[in-house]
Structures are given as C-alpha cells and as structure tokens.
Amino acid sequence: MTTTAVKKEGPAAVAPAPTVGSHVRNYVSRVRGGDIGALPAVLGLIVLCTVFAVMRPSFLTAGNFANLFTQGAAVTLIAMGLVFVLLLGEIDLSAGFASGVCAAILANVATVLGYPWYVAVLAAVVTGVVIGTTLGVLVAKIGIPSFVVTLAGFLAFQGIVLMLMDDGANISIRDDTLVAIANRNLPPVLGWALAAAAVAGYAAVQLLRHRNRAARGLLTDPLAVVAARIGALALILGVAVYILNLERSRNVLVTSLKGVPIVVPIIAILLVLWTFVLQRTSYGRHVYAVGGNKEAARRAGINVDRIRISVFVICSSMAAVGGIVAASRANSVDPNTGGSNVLLYAVGAAVIGGTSLFGGKGRVLDAVLGGAVVAVIDNGMGLMGYSSGVKYVVTGVVLLLAASVDALSRRRSAATGTR
C-alpha cells in the first residue's frame, strides 16, 4: 500500500504594500514617460506668483488676492466647459460670444422685462443649451468640422448680441442677487465652514477609496501619501480663507470688505460636479474613449454622436454660466461682453492647465489651474504697468509653451509605450 503525501499549500503571496519611496519613484517614472499632467501649470503658477510678489509687493495683498478670483472667474468657467470639447479633439471658437448672447438674454429678461433673477438665470442657461445642441448636431449629424461650425457661430453670435442690445446699447444689471454673484462676499464664519466641509468631504472620499481598493486587493497609494494630499488641501484652503477674511476695505467706517467671494464656492461646486461626471460615471469614461479613439469607441457600442453633441451642450451651458458671472462683475451687459480676449483666454486656460488639444487627455481641474495662470499673468503685469499688448504677447508665449509641452509629452508617451 502506497501513501500519497499531501502537500500543504501556504497562504497566497501578497504583494508588498507600496511605500512612499516607491510611490515617488513611480510618479517620476510617469513624468519621464510623458505623463506630466498639470505639473507645468502648477510650477508655472508658483514661478509667476514668486516673480510678481518680488517685483510688486502689492501683488500679495488681501485685496489683490480676492481680485484674482473675481477677475479670472468667467474665463475659468468657460474653460471648464471647453475641456469637454477638447477631450474629443474638437474645438469651440464660439464659446466667448455664446457667453455674450446668454448674458444679453439674462440682462433683457431681468432688467428690460423685469422678471426675477432665477427666471433670468434659467433663460440664460437654456439659451446655452440650445446653442450647444445646435452646434453639436451640425458637427455630429451633418458632419461639418467643429472649426467651421463654431467659427460661423463666433461671427453669428456677435450679430445676435448686437441685435439683443439694440445695436450698441448698454443694459445695467440691477437685481441685487445677480450683482452679488461676482461682487459680494460670504460671511467669514461661512467661509471657514465651507473650507472645513470641503476638507472633510475630500478626506472621506480619499480614505473610502483607499479602503475599497485595499479590500479588493488592488494597488493603493500609501496612507502617508493620502494624508499628505488631505493635509495639503487643508493648508491651501486654510491660508486662502484666512487671507480672504482679512479686512480689505480702505475705509472701514464707510464699508467693510472681507470674506470669500461668492463666486469661489460656485466654481468649486461646478468643479466637483464635472470632475465626478468625468471620473466616476460611465458617461465620463465614454467621453475619454471617444476622445482616445472614436472608431474603437463606436465598435465598443458607444453612441459616438450622442457624446459629441453632449460635450457641445456642456460647453455652451458653462459659457452661459461664465456670461452670467461676467455680467454680474461688470454690473451690466454691452455688445463686447464675451468678446475681446475672452475666448482666447478660455482656450488658453484649458490648454495651459494640461488638457490636450489632441483629445483623450484632460481634467476639469486643468481649466481651474490654467485660469489661475492666465489671471495671475493679466493681474501681475497690470500691476507692473505693462500695456495690453505686452500682456497678450506673454499670454500667447505661455500658451505656445503649454501646447509644445503637450505635443512633446505625447511623443514621449508614444515612444515609451506609456499611453
């Protein structure tokens, strides 16, 4: 009789938990492979702020810090919508004047017709949806290139704004709620409360994600890295709220001016919303899929035309929101609202922040970072007394550098096989 020895198997091998050192090495490896993300925008923002702070100490005052937010808000909001279009490798040259049309609708409904502010805001946003749907259908269903369609829109919307404004009239915004959007501040206590809620929410999301990935045996970031992210956000928000809560009024006896501008939480809420849509929903995955390879996405069963139409709808809707903020900041709407450098700055903000012009790569956060860079350049050079011509040249050079970095990083990714 023979006996068969039973070999006892030990516990399954478990991959070693990642360390901070390995996490840093992996990040450096990704950067070398061309996956640089928003790193150039962050570094550029730090350098610009340092240079302007040294050259003009007034750049670091609480009043100027608050002005940066209101100055760049409209462009940032329009850029957030443009990110969706750029993710598909498309372009929307009409976004600037689309915001002007929506602002003109807002002013006419609120001031001329006398409807409440919420009706005017709804009318402006619905106008944006109609504009986006029209552009999207022409691009996706008719097959006209987005460059041609939106260039036609760029020209046509200028005429529509003129017609809505009686060929050059200026319509004032008198509704207190609409004026408050870009000209009023939150109570200091509410600013701290919102900052604390933002940090707590971010911490909950990060820790929950870490726990879920660990429970499924997936690779996770070291807890020290997660804690560092949470700490960095808390530090940034804490310093920002502290500075914004300082008294900014030149004559406190006349009026007090302190607190977080109301437009800041509006941008933050939209940033969280669209980030969730892109990164946590099937729709967002479909957007990236279509942007990466349209034909492959079609064969995978994705309704490519619907995705293409939807990104133009989102873009024009965000242009409407940007137009509302611009009208609020100016306390009026004129035929130039949404014109001049608005479109150029909005596209520049998205690209400078790290969104690729070739499609398939980008985040809504890129628009916020790029918008901050554009606002800092415009604000800092204004404090230094440079003319508008010099501002345009510098902003154009920064945009060209960002596009060059994007092209080089994509080439590097293709060479190393990391994309």
Side-chain angles (χ1 to χ4, degrees):
M1 180 177 179
T2 61
T3 59
T4 303
V6 178
K7 183 180 180 181
K8 294 183 178 181
E9 295 183 356
V14 179
T19 62
V20 175
S22 64
H23 181 83
V24 172
R25 286 191 295 272
N26 289 337
Y27 177 74
V28 172
S29 176
R30 291 200 306 272
V31 170
R32 288 178 176 176
D35 184 12
I36 57 177
L39 181 61
V42 174
L43 294 179
L45 192 59
I46 294 172
V47 171
L48 287 169
C49 289
T50 302
V51 170
F52 289 136
V54 172
M55 299 295 291
R56 284 290 185 273
S58 58
F59 179 82
L60 292 179
T61 60
N64 191 61
F65 185 60
N67 187 50
L68 282 171
F69 286 100
T70 55
Q71 185 176 346
V75 167
T76 299
L77 289 166
I78 297 172
M80 290 167 70
L82 280 166
V83 166
F84 284 82
V85 174
L86 293 174
L87 281 173
L88 297 194
E90 306 284 358
I91 190 65
D92 187 353
L93 299 176
S94 69
F97 275 111
S99 72
V101 171
C102 297
I105 293 292
L106 175 87
N108 276 280
V109 173
T111 301
V112 178
L113 300 179
Y115 283 98
W117 67 269
Y118 48 84
V119 176
V121 169
L122 180 61
V125 174
V126 169
T127 301
V129 171
V130 172
I131 289 173
T133 303
T134 303
L135 296 176
V137 168
L138 290 173
V139 172
K141 296 297 186 181
I142 308 301
I144 307 174
S146 60
F147 179 88
V148 177
V149 171
T150 58
L151 179 59
F154 173 84
L155 297 172
F157 295 154
Q158 293 184 63
I160 293 175
V161 171
L162 284 172
M163 289 186 287
L164 290 171
M165 307 301 294
D166 291 331
D167 289 331
N170 185 306
I171 301 179
S172 299
I173 302 294
R174 302 190 186 95
D175 187 280
D176 290 339
T177 302
L178 293 178
V179 172
I181 292 174
N183 296 285
R184 301 287 186 270
N185 306 300
L186 300 174
V189 174
L190 183 56
W192 284 116
L194 290 178
V199 173
Y202 181 75
V205 170
Q206 288 291 311
L207 293 174
L208 185 62
R209 180 186 180 190
H210 183 276
R211 188 188 69 177
N212 290 342
R213 290 182 65 86
R216 288 180 292 176
L218 300 176
L219 189 65
T220 61
D221 292 333
L223 274 175
V225 173
V226 176
R229 290 174 183 158
I230 298 171
L233 179 64
L235 178 62
I236 293 172
L237 291 184
V239 171
V241 172
Y242 172 77
I243 294 174
L244 292 172
N245 280 345
L246 295 175
E247 184 59 63
R248 305 192 295 272
S249 175
R250 295 183 178 181
N251 191 340
V252 183
L253 297 178
V254 176
T255 183
S256 177
L257 186 61
K258 58 183 178 180
V260 178
I262 291 175
V263 74
V264 173
I266 293 176
I267 294 175
I269 290 171
L270 290 171
L271 171 62
V272 172
L273 169 65
W274 293 125
T275 298
F276 175 81
V277 168
L278 276 181
Q279 298 185 359
R280 292 289 184 268
T281 66
S282 58
Y283 170 79
R285 291 190 290 272
H286 291 171
V287 170
Y288 282 110
V290 174
N293 190 319
K294 183 169 62 177
E295 187 56 36
R298 193 188 308 277
R299 293 180 179 180
I302 297 174
N303 191 327
V304 174
D305 288 349
R306 183 179 300 173
I307 296 296
R308 296 178 77 191
I309 294 172
S310 67
V311 296
F312 282 97
V313 172
I314 292 173
C315 181
S316 295
S317 299
M318 289 302 296
V321 178
I324 293 169
V325 171
S328 172
R329 184 168 186 258
N331 289 343
S332 65
V333 177
D334 60 62
N336 196 44
T337 300
S340 185
N341 55 10
V342 172
L343 173 67
L344 304 179
Y345 278 3
V347 174
V351 176
I352 290 170
T355 299
S356 176
L357 286 168
F358 302 97
K361 188 180 74 172
R363 302 171 301 169
V364 181
L365 179 61
D366 296 342
V368 177
L369 293 173
V373 171
V374 171
V376 166
I377 292 174
D378 190 51
N379 179 277
M381 298 196 73
L383 290 176
M384 295 178 67
Y386 287 106
S387 66
S388 297
V390 176
K391 293 180 187 178
Y392 288 147
V393 170
V394 173
T395 305
V397 170
V398 172
L399 174 58
L400 182 61
L401 289 174
S404 300
V405 169
D406 175 38
L408 292 174
S409 66
R410 290 178 69 89
R411 183 181 301 176
R412 179 66 176 172
S413 297
T416 57
T418 57
R419 185 174 187 271

